[in-house]
Amino acid sequence: MNQSILCVGECLIDFFSHEANVSLKKSQTFIKKAGGAPANVCAAISKLGGEAIFLGKVGADPFGDFLEETLQSVGVHTNLLVKDSSSPTTLAFVSLGEDGQRDFVFNRGADANLTLDEIPLEIVGAMKIIHFGSATALLTPPFNQTYKEIFTYAKNNRCFISFDPNFRTNLWQGREEEFIKIILNYIPHCDFLKVSDEELFLLTKEDDIQKAVSILHRLGANCIAVTLGKDGTFLSYSGESSTISSIPIKAIDTTGAGDAFVGATLYQLSKLEHPKSISFTDWKTIIHFSNKVGAMVCEKMGAIEAIPSLEEVLSR
């Protein structure tokens, strides 16, 4: 049984402000960390003991080398990581508030330039599980078109499709309706859809969580997990729903928590022979574990460094 999980999207550098509770405008020093939502998902899968492959593009520069080495250091396969000699690695500058919430400023680079002819589609088709993260992937061509083609190929090959819209306000400022239209085209084909409560209400324009989730189910989404921060996760699948609690923590940095949650979920699904046909009870068990992983990531700074090992999760 192929237990490898392919994650498609961006890999970038997060520059975190070294000063507590200071705006980006006033920050003087920054700490460099590896990031990018799909890369974080890959790292979580691998650190928990799964097989993860990252597909995306970085610059052929020191930052790109750093990202490649960081992914390799946690066991992620980088044979589908493409290096671009004509564009720099994408950068994000991040400042953290007192509650651990973050502000992003992106300097877009190489991740935007991935083209279909750079991807061996036969490897894509051989995957049992493929995760699509879209923080930057859907913004501009050629990557947004490449992303769509990979998604269609995965669907046609009956891969298990996981999808996270990764909405970022400052990336889609003034283009929110365009974002909604794009995302709603992907949702009908999702076996597992992870959204935050903010994304759920944005996509459905419905502030009742049960009604909002029902809208996405009617579109075709199979299992839906709505992350609620410290309140856990609202899970909806096959006509049943439940809010699965999280563990109490003191949040230091929420960066990568949702990605770790997704990675933990996919890691567990990869161990199953038929992940598309499990029970609601099984899903609740999976989400309970994933909540714990996501919460533990918030206790440290840095999306990848903060991901716990399987042993650490089981000991909590």
Side-chain angles (χ1 to χ4, degrees):
M1 180 174 65
N2 181 8
Q3 294 187 349
S4 296
I5 303 165
L6 180 67
C7 298
V8 182
E10 79 278 2
C11 187
L12 51 82
I13 300 288
D14 282 321
F15 279 107
F16 288 93
S17 173
H18 193 40
E19 295 127 283
N21 309 322
V22 174
S23 68
L24 284 177
K25 179 180 177 180
K26 293 183 178 180
S27 293
Q28 296 291 321
T29 56
F30 294 84
I31 302 171
K32 180 185 69 180
K33 299 286 185 181
N40 295 339
V41 172
C42 263
I45 294 164
S46 187
K47 288 186 79 170
L48 289 168
E51 288 280 328
I53 304 168
F54 177 77
L55 192 163
K57 199 168 199 177
V58 296
D61 56 25
F63 291 140
D65 293 342
F66 169 75
L67 290 171
E68 180 179 40
E69 291 170 11
T70 300
L71 289 175
Q72 291 172 348
S73 72
V74 294
V76 174
H77 298 287
T78 58
N79 49 305
L80 298 183
L81 177 67
V82 181
K83 289 190 172 180
D84 189 338
S85 59
S86 62
S87 294
T89 298
T90 298
L91 309 178
F93 293 86
V94 189
S95 67
L96 301 171
E98 290 182 30
D99 58 358
Q101 292 300 311
R102 59 234 148 117
D103 256 340
F104 281 100
V105 171
F106 274 90
N107 284 345
R108 191 89 190 272
D111 84 278
N113 300 333
L114 188 69
T115 58
L116 201 60
D117 60 4
E118 296 173 301
I119 299 163
L121 281 176
E122 66 277 4
I123 295 180
V124 175
M127 293 293 116
K128 183 170 76 172
I129 298 174
I130 302 183
H131 173 68
F132 294 85
S134 66
T136 67
L138 298 174
L139 285 167
T140 58
F143 192 21
N144 60 355
Q145 188 57 41
T146 303
Y147 188 92
K148 182 179 179 181
E149 295 284 353
I150 298 170
F151 190 97
T152 301
Y153 191 83
K155 179 188 70 174
N156 291 341
N157 279 271
R158 295 183 173 83
C159 303
F160 182 101
I161 292 177
S162 166
F163 183 60
D164 184 350
N166 292 125
F167 178 71
R168 298 286 182 265
T169 302
N170 63 331
L171 291 182
W172 292 94
Q173 198 81 45
R175 298 173 60 193
E176 289 86 356
E177 290 304 314
E178 180 185 353
F179 173 84
I180 293 167
K181 185 177 179 181
I182 291 169
I183 296 302
L184 293 182
N185 285 328
Y186 283 90
I187 282 175
H189 312 292
C190 297
D191 297 295
F192 175 66
L193 173 66
K194 179 267 178 190
V195 290
S196 67
D197 49 356
E198 175 196 11
E199 290 163 343
L200 177 68
F201 303 142
L202 174 71
L203 292 170
T204 63
K205 300 186 181 350
E206 171 59 67
D207 58 10
D208 179 281
I209 193 167
Q210 189 80 62
K211 292 178 181 177
V213 164
S214 295
I215 291 170
L216 300 185
H217 277 310
R218 286 198 295 273
L219 286 174
N222 193 13
C223 180
I224 300 174
V226 184
T227 52
L228 307 171
K230 62 181 176 55
D231 295 324
T233 301
F234 182 84
L235 173 70
S236 181
Y237 174 70
S238 192
E240 298 186 75
S241 63
S242 178
T243 298
I244 316 299
S245 63
S246 188
I247 58 172
I249 57 153
K250 182 177 180 181
I252 302 298
D253 172 19
T254 62
T255 304
D259 304 326
F261 170 89
V262 172
T265 300
L266 299 182
Y267 159 72
Q268 294 170 88
L269 291 171
S270 73
K271 305 298 181 185
L272 305 176
E273 190 169 356
H274 302 292
K276 291 188 181 186
S277 55
I278 60 176
S279 69
F280 184 69
T281 299
D282 291 334
W283 267 114
K284 287 199 294 184
T285 301
I286 287 170
I287 297 303
H288 177 74
F289 176 90
S290 300
N291 279 350
K292 193 185 295 188
V293 175
M296 291 175 71
V297 165
C298 297
E299 296 178 318
K300 300 177 184 177
M301 180 175 278
I304 291 178
E305 292 90 339
I307 298 166
S309 66
L310 181 60
E311 291 74 17
E312 290 171 324
V313 179
L314 295 177
S315 69
R316 289 289 289 264

